[in-house]
Amino acid sequence: MSSGRQALFVAGDRGVTRTHAEALVQRSLEAPRERGAEWSASRAHSALEALTLIRHGGRPFDVIVVAPHLPDGSGLELIAALRKEEATHDVPLFLMTERGHDLHSRRIAAARHRLAGFIELPVSDDTMRRTLDGVTRRRRVLVVDPDADTADLHARAFLRSGFVPEVAHTRDALEARRRFDPDVVVTALERDQDPHHDGLDLCARLKRKDPAPKVVVYGPYAALLRRRGIEANRERADDFVRGPFDEQLLVERAAALVGMGAPGSGPQAPTAPQVEAPPETGISVVELPPAGLVRSPRRAPVAPAPRPGPRRGSRRVPCDVTLTVERDGRQFRAETLDISPGGMFFAIHPPPPLGSTVEMDFSLPGRAAPVTSEGRVKWIAREAKPAGVGVEFSRIARADLEDIVDYVNRLARVVYDPDDDSSPPGRAP
């Protein structure tokens, strides 16, 4: 969990800002801030100081409370300026007013400047907290990408969807994480602009420092499979988004990790369900088979390439879909139990003979296009409940296999280490 909500109090009287800030945080401002505190507060004593803090202070605010009169203008003038600032365009703004002030003028001000409410003076500590406690903490996202244009594009997409974004270069990411306190960090896997940028290494450093923020790594599969991975469960990325992708998909995947659902007005891209992976730490790389084993669906059979040597067991994850199994011209319906990049396990009765070849058609969760593949029955679980068969893929379209890899990676919450041979062999295939 992040450390809480940020409030900004703006008034010419330093005693007023101090009193209100301490009433909200329920401690002296000189006292050290407790980790996990519900509120923290900042103070400004002029409109210029407030705008400077907002533009260059490096911290987003969840609520801003403004006094009616400031040394360099009125509170309403500052509020109008805040509504034009990108960082505070949608932040809840409260105006302090004297009790019994002209209600008609207050209604006009509320409508014109989209005020969240008024705080009547004098105000008690309990009233201050009750007034502001209903303000929801704005979700923060830290975008780390050496390509400044790409980072800015992603940040704007997050901003449109209700996040508070911050952009940082790799070398500044740890400091930005400490200062900005993000709920989620999204980072490129690698970039040609900076050969020293390694999204997996950054993920590990972030998690070792503080496992609280979620981490999403994005990039192409080819880059994922050739980069060094993360061994320990607690240091792995929380999600991987395969590029190229639409910015809204990245926003939706990050939003799902922090409990925001799918924000934004754009169409929601289908995503695989979020399932907790078993607590294993030794995991083999999810590998694509040699190109000779891959074909487009429904083409005439071709001689398969020689099988590689024994493969390490690859991670399998739950997969609850209905598939059509065809053998010897007959079709059967079956229910899948789990899937890996090497094959699948499904319940079927009667089971096909060991070593027999079957054609399979199914659709992955969140993927409209069906997967058409061919497999060989490698083992039969007659005593299992339900009874089923393990089938190893022998022919499958590369695009379909990449989608299976994506599905497995997302559900297992992994970025694999291709050099790790410690993975216990999985059950066949």
Side-chain angles (χ1 to χ4, degrees):
M1 294 293 292
S2 289
S3 59
R5 295 168 285 182
Q6 299 270 359
L8 172 63
F9 292 92
V10 187
D13 188 330
R14 293 178 179 271
V16 168
T17 60
R18 182 185 185 89
T19 300
H20 291 167
E22 290 182 342
L24 182 63
V25 302
Q26 293 187 316
R27 61 175 173 81
S28 169
L29 295 184
E30 279 76 28
R33 180 183 176 188
E34 297 179 0
R35 182 173 178 79
E38 185 178 1
W39 280 101
S40 63
S42 298
R43 303 154 64 203
H45 301 98
S46 68
L48 179 60
E49 187 178 345
L51 290 171
T52 302
L53 188 60
I54 289 165
R55 293 168 180 167
H56 308 292
R59 64 176 63 187
F61 293 104
D62 300 290
V63 61
I64 300 175
V65 180
V66 181
H69 305 291
L70 301 171
D72 52 355
S74 72
L76 287 178
E77 289 173 344
L78 173 59
I79 287 173
L82 294 178
R83 284 297 177 224
K84 297 177 182 179
E85 293 287 322
E86 193 172 62
T88 55
H89 182 268
D90 295 314
V91 173
L93 303 178
F94 288 83
L95 181 67
M96 303 179 198
T97 62
E98 296 179 3
R99 195 177 303 276
H101 188 69
D102 182 7
L103 298 182
H104 178 67
S105 298
R106 287 171 54 167
R107 284 195 293 268
I108 294 176
R112 179 173 298 173
H113 302 294
R114 293 185 290 115
L115 292 180
F118 297 85
I119 296 179
E120 293 188 338
L121 301 176
V123 59
S124 67
D125 292 1
D126 288 342
T127 301
M128 175 65 71
R129 288 191 62 84
R130 283 199 306 270
T131 302
L132 301 186
D133 268 345
V135 175
T136 303
R137 185 186 194 276
R138 302 175 71 201
R139 297 296 190 180
R140 295 150 166 76
V141 57
L142 178 63
V143 182
V144 183
D145 196 314
D147 186 335
D149 292 338
T150 300
D152 184 64
L153 196 66
H154 294 338
R156 290 186 177 278
F158 278 105
L159 182 64
R160 290 193 300 269
S161 296
F163 280 85
V164 179
E166 176 86 351
V167 173
H169 194 276
T170 314
R171 61 178 176 270
D172 305 318
L174 292 180
E175 170 59 24
R177 184 265 168 273
R178 183 197 64 77
R179 170 182 52 78
F180 184 64
D181 190 25
D183 299 278
V184 60
V185 179
V186 298
T187 178
L189 187 59
E190 61 180 33
R191 281 293 182 200
D192 294 336
Q193 295 92 331
D194 184 356
H196 300 293
H197 175 82
D198 185 338
L200 304 187
D201 180 66
L202 175 60
C203 171
R205 287 188 288 139
L206 287 166
K207 294 282 188 178
R208 289 167 190 159
K209 198 78 172 176
D210 183 357
K214 303 294 185 180
V215 178
V216 179
V217 179
Y218 57 86
Y221 269 133
L224 173 65
L225 295 178
R226 69 172 175 262
R227 302 296 286 185
R228 181 180 60 79
I230 307 303
E231 294 94 344
N233 271 358
R234 66 185 180 84
E235 294 174 1
R236 290 203 301 259
D238 297 278
D239 204 347
F240 176 78
V241 179
R242 182 184 66 182
F245 53 82
D246 181 85
E247 283 75 27
Q248 188 61 27
L249 176 60
L250 182 64
V251 172
E252 289 170 0
R253 298 275 275 268
L257 289 175
V258 296
M260 286 181 63
S265 56
Q268 181 177 356
T271 57
Q274 302 296 315
V275 180
E276 287 298 327
E280 301 178 22
T281 57
I283 304 170
S284 67
V285 62
V286 172
E287 299 167 324
L288 298 180
L293 295 181
V294 180
R295 68 169 175 88
S296 298
R298 301 305 187 191
R299 291 183 182 173
V302 296
R307 294 291 296 172
R311 295 176 60 190
R312 295 167 297 188
S314 55
R315 189 67 171 270
R316 54 177 62 240
V317 297
C319 183
D320 183 14
V321 299
T322 301
L323 74 157
T324 301
V325 180
E326 183 175 332
R327 175 178 170 269
D328 297 333
R330 299 179 59 193
Q331 288 190 343
F332 303 87
R333 302 286 283 179
E335 300 297 324
T336 62
L337 300 179
D338 56 46
I339 190 171
S340 79
M344 26 187 347
F345 177 66
F346 54 82
I348 187 172
H349 184 78
L354 192 67
S356 61
T357 299
V358 295
E359 295 276 348
M360 298 171 290
D361 288 290
F362 61 95
S363 293
L364 285 171
R367 184 182 189 268
V371 175
T372 300
S373 62
E374 183 180 285
R376 184 174 292 106
V377 178
K378 298 293 288 185
W379 59 284
I380 302 175
R382 299 184 187 277
E383 305 301 324
K385 294 185 181 300
V389 297
V391 174
E392 182 181 47
F393 294 131
S394 56
R395 300 196 186 281
I396 187 169
R398 177 167 291 274
D400 292 339
L401 188 55
E402 288 179 347
D403 283 337
I404 291 175
V405 172
D406 185 45
Y407 177 77
V408 171
N409 280 349
R410 291 197 59 221
L411 266 65
R413 298 283 202 278
V414 300
V415 179
Y416 292 100
D417 184 355
D419 297 321
D420 179 15
D421 288 315
S422 63
S423 174
R427 62 183 180 185

